[in-house]
Amino acid sequence: MATPNFNEEPKVNFCITLRTVNTAADRRKMRSVIAEDSEWTLAEVPLLTTLCLQHIVKNFEEKPILDELTGGHKSYVFERLSPSLPLTVSANLISDESYWRRRVEARWGPADVTAYGDSWKRMFFERHLEGVVELFIPDVTDIRTVLELVPLCRNYVTRLKVSQLLPPIKDPSRFDEDDASDCASDVGSDGPSMDHFDFGILLDKLVNLEELHVTYGVKGCGMNFEWNLFEFTFRDCECLAKALKSCKSLKVFRLRRSKVDDDKCCILVSHLLDHPSLLELDLSHNHIGERGARAVGKLLNRSKLQKLTAYNNRIRGPGAQALAHALARNTTLTSLNLRLNRIADEGGQAVAQALMKNKTLTELHLEGNEMTEPTAVAMSQALVQNSTLKTLNLANNRLGVDGGKVLEEGMSHNSSLVECDIRLTDVDQESEFCITQALRANQNHKHHHSPTATQHPSAH
Amino acid sequence: MRDVTDPARAPPELYHSNTFCKQNSHFRCAFLCTSLVAVHVYLLFLTSYKMHQTESFEADEAEPAPSVESDDPEERIKARRLRIAERNEAKKGRKLGEVLQRKETMKEEQRESQKEVEISERHMEKLKTDGLELVTNILVATDARESKRRTDEEEANRLRREKLENEARSSQEKYEEITHKWTEAKMKQTPLDLRDALNSQQQLCNQITDDKNKLINDLKQELKASDDRYVKDLRKEAKDTDLLIERMEEQISSLKKSYREKLHQIENSFGDERRTLLAKNRKKWEQQMKERCDKELKNMMHSLSLMEEHEDLLHKLRTQTAEEYNTDKIKLDTEVQNSRMKVQEMKFNCHLNQEKLDDKFTTLKKREEENSILKSQLKRKLIRTQDAVNNLKSKCSEQEKESKLENQSLSKDYTRLNQQYKDMQKKARHFAALDMERYEKVWLMNEAEVKNLAHRALEVDRLIHEQQLGLAWDSPPLDFMKRSGPIRSIQQDFRTAGQAAADALKEEQEEESSDIVEGSENTAGGVNRRIVKNILELLCDETGFLIDSKLQTLLSCLEKSERSLVKLDAVFSAMGIESEEDVYRMTEFFMKYKQLGREQRDHEAEAEATDLIDPKEILLALKDFTAQNCRPCGVWDSQHSSVLELNMRDDYEDAAYWESLANVIPESKLKLWAALDTALNEYHTVLTERAELLVETQSVKQQNTELRNLLHQYTTSKANSELDIHPTR
């Protein structure tokens, strides 16, 4: 029987509801004798605790009572809390994963939480903040909408994947019929206060931010394509660079498909020099040329960078030489990706010579770089001397039959390389077979030494 | 995998069910055989009993081990323990065997399944890499296409640029030609020529524009072509993506399929293994069951025959015991009657005792109450005394504290006073020295004065004698006048013990050398010198321990007498003997001691003619002597030394000295002087009278002369003449 235990009751204002319930029960008791009612069971009478908890759930927005509750009651409340509670109430108060799961699923549908470190709450806030940033229109959206969110989500956001950034609206009347994501076509001369969302107001406040992915462009513009929807201005670059410098916890920075040219790359690098925590830098699908490559090379030896990805850029021989020069002295970098550049033999030979001195690099991608036989010769020499490199990708380079033979000879002296991609390199089948045999021997060797080591396929 | 029953887990259950089946069937057989449940149970009981029996028999056979049925309880316990241990061991052994067997089978299984797993793993790995290559081939191909496109584009760009440059150059040439022709045209005078020239110019211009248009068209076409290519590329890319996805899906499905197949294979292999194992185990089980069945049957038959034997035996035993029982019963009945009597007696006694005890109990109770009262009183007293003790203790501690404080203050006072006393002594000594000095000075001064006076008095006496009395003057004895300074006490006769000893020894030598026998001559102390010497020599020999070892080494090079002298000196200093007197006292003491000793042992000593003390006893004597004599010595010594300087002077002789100085003129002479004085005084008065009279006469004479002169003057003066009346007239 639900005996009204007033000692257990958390707050006085629930007395009213209690009393009403009690009087109702009394009245019923007076009118009908329970003993005669064959369908009456004790189970139907709601427990007082249940009533109280329901009340708490109902009035959670005005009066969030949580810490006073016991474990079972807490989970009861969490189960019933509305997923539309304002974030100001729920953000720092509720840590229950099931609640946030419900909230995420109510908002975005089913999702994979493993990508978010198995934390639904982190997932919610990251996606929420991403949404806010992605829909931010300069000079139209109030900057406070972002700033208000900061104290709520700063402890939970560790990764920010911004897949689009909207430019300011120049002439809204012209684009009334467009989608909500569409905006001004031409950058005005009278000057909006910013060209895109300014990360400077956000990054220094997110204390746990470790990963930042940014693309200066618009998603799904369809037939409304305009070149200046995909503009990455100097002003943006300055803002972004300063913001990156202010964010001391950042480990991974990815800026893809944003037309980063040499000058912008130099600006970014000059602000990233001596960054305390940056480990991975991804500048793929941009327009980086020789000067940009030189700047990145400088960054290599003035940071803790472990992974550098710069594929599909415009780096040619001299740029690659600068990078190779940096690589020869570097002791932190483990992975370098220069796929789809134009480093040619000039750069390929430089990189191969750098490999002779380098003792940390384990992964090197040089596909599609117009390299030919001289590079193969240099690379085979490097393979003989180097004993740290595990993955080498030389696909889509015209190494030729002789190059293949030279590589085969180099491979016969190497014992560390476990993956070597030489598809579409005009290499003789016989040498290819020999190389794969050598690789397999290395793999077995490694497998015997460390049976837990698994080989990751390099599917880029 | 999960659907298939685990072979490792399945057997026990199966075995259990099997055992049940077998047992059931076996039981059914038994039923058939006996067709009676009770009999069956009985048989079972018998078999178990028999088995126990056989076990115990076996144990007995092995060694004369303790049996469960033994009379001795300890032996039984031992037997049970042994049995339990045996059973446990048997169980353990069985288990171990099973485990070993299972392990072996597991090994085999693992070996087979492991092989299968490894094979499939390798296969899957290969499939995976192949699939990956298949999938990434598209990527590589796209990359290749893209790079080819880029090179093509670059080439096209280069060509285009060349073309444009060529075009620009040619158009520039043409333009220059036109401009050149313009100047030529300007030179033309005739309109016809001009027209011709203009036409040609126009043609040229048209040519340029045509060229340009053509170029533009070309470029436009190229643009369009590249647009098309872009679209184519897009399409191709879309196709590629589709292909990629398709291949991926294909890969996934094929991988899935192969995985499933492999899984199935592995499962099959496991299942096969399990089945073979099961069959093997089952066979074994059945065989063992059969064996057991046979054994049980055999046992049962055996036990049946045994039972019959036992039944006969039982019957016999029953009759025998019935007889015994009857006789026993009769015996016991009589005993019971006797004991009943005894019981009644005992009861009576008991009753008596109880009453007695009750009485005692009451008295004891009373006593106990009294005791408790007493106890409480004593307790109170104890508490009170405890309080008193505590009070006294506290008082005592207070007192102790106070006395300690007092003691401290007193000791402080004492030290302070001691210090003061020392200071005072120092002062006193200082003043004494000063006083001494001053005294000496005053003495000297006074002495000089007195001597002077004495001399004067003597001179006056001499003058009086010689001049006044006309007598010859002889000087009195004046030897004390020659002395000067204060008189000092003379201590010539105080000799030290060392000197005394030296004297004693030396005299002896002299005596020897001069052969003068002075045996009768006694020293100041009245002791014979020879004896003294002998004793001293003895002391020298016996008391070497009192002398420093260093000193002894030094002494070894000295003469015998000197050596003994120095030794004696050291001995004396050690014993505290200082004066000659002490030495003699010591000798006397020794003598007495000797005499005492002799009295004690008269007979023995009479033989010895020597009057010397026994060298054995000298140490004892010495000890006694020092105990008697030398203790006060130190005390006196310290006192004496402190007062010594102050008491040095005695003014006994001073008075005499000064008296003799004062009495340099004897009494008789003083009387003479007195008489002389009176006579002279009379003489003096007479003389003075005479002198006065002489003066008077002198003055009268002078008056006379003066008066005569005056008279003469008057008479002889002119005034007189002038006068009416002459005075004289």
Side-chain angles (χ1 to χ4, degrees), chain B residues 20-135:
Chain B
F20 278 120
C21 287
K22 292 280 157 180
Q23 271 170 347
N24 278 342
S25 59
H26 162 66
F27 290 156
R28 231 169 280 144
C29 279
F31 289 170
L32 285 173
C33 280
T34 56
S35 72
L36 267 171
V37 181
V39 172
H40 174 72
V41 172
Y42 194 49
L43 282 181
L44 268 182
F45 165 74
L46 273 181
T47 45
S48 63
Y49 179 68
K50 220 216 107 187
M51 271 161 81
H52 277 244
Q53 285 269 13
T54 49
E55 263 178 35
S56 59
F57 285 151
E58 275 165 15
D60 279 349
E61 275 168 16
E63 52 175 322
S67 74
V68 194
E69 281 82 18
S70 153
D71 290 338
D72 188 12
E74 274 182 28
E75 206 182 341
R76 261 178 286 170
I77 289 165
K78 222 188 217 169
R80 285 202 193 100
R81 270 191 199 144
L82 270 173
R83 206 166 63 190
I84 289 163
E86 271 173 16
R87 274 181 202 166
N88 280 345
E89 233 165 77
K91 215 185 268 177
K92 219 185 271 173
R94 228 176 295 148
K95 243 185 209 172
L96 260 174
E98 274 175 35
V99 168
L100 276 173
Q101 261 186 346
R102 204 174 290 170
K103 261 188 187 168
E104 270 172 37
T105 51
M106 289 277 274
K107 248 185 207 169
E108 268 173 52
E109 272 172 38
Q110 260 174 355
R111 233 179 286 144
E112 286 171 25
S113 52
Q114 196 75 33
K115 238 183 250 166
E116 192 75 35
V117 167
E118 263 174 33
I119 288 165
S120 43
E121 232 173 42
R122 223 170 291 152
H123 185 73
M124 289 319 295
E125 196 71 40
K126 198 166 172 293
L127 270 182
K128 242 195 276 179
T129 47
D130 287 354
L132 190 70
E133 209 177 321
L134 197 68
V135 172

Side-chain angles (χ1 to χ4, degrees), chain A residues 312 342 370 396 423 457 460, chain B residues 132 136 139-140 144 150-151:
Chain A
N312 199 8
R342 281 279 180 279
E370 294 194 329
N396 273 324
R423 282 176 288 182
H460 285 282
Chain B
L132 190 70
T136 48
L139 194 82
V140 174
R150 280 187 191 180
T151 45

Side-chain angles (χ1 to χ4, degrees), chain A residues 312-313 316 339-342 367-368 370 395-396 398 421 423-424 432 440 447 455-460, chain B residues 121 125-126 129 132-151 154:
Chain A
N312 199 8
N313 274 299
R316 289 174 188 277
R339 189 182 139 205
L340 277 180
N341 279 295
R342 281 279 180 279
E367 309 102 298
E370 294 194 329
N396 273 324
R398 289 203 186 75
D421 196 341
R423 282 176 288 182
L424 289 184
E432 202 174 330
R440 198 151 294 162
H447 204 72
Q455 290 128 28
H456 298 285
S458 58
H460 285 282
Chain B
E121 232 173 42
E125 196 71 40
K126 198 166 172 293
T129 47
L132 190 70
E133 209 177 321
L134 197 68
V135 172
T136 48
N137 269 342
I138 297 173
L139 194 82
V140 174
T142 320
D143 273 3
R145 217 164 40 237
E146 172 65 16
S147 54
K148 190 170 177 300
R149 189 188 68 77
R150 280 187 191 180
T151 45
E154 262 175 36

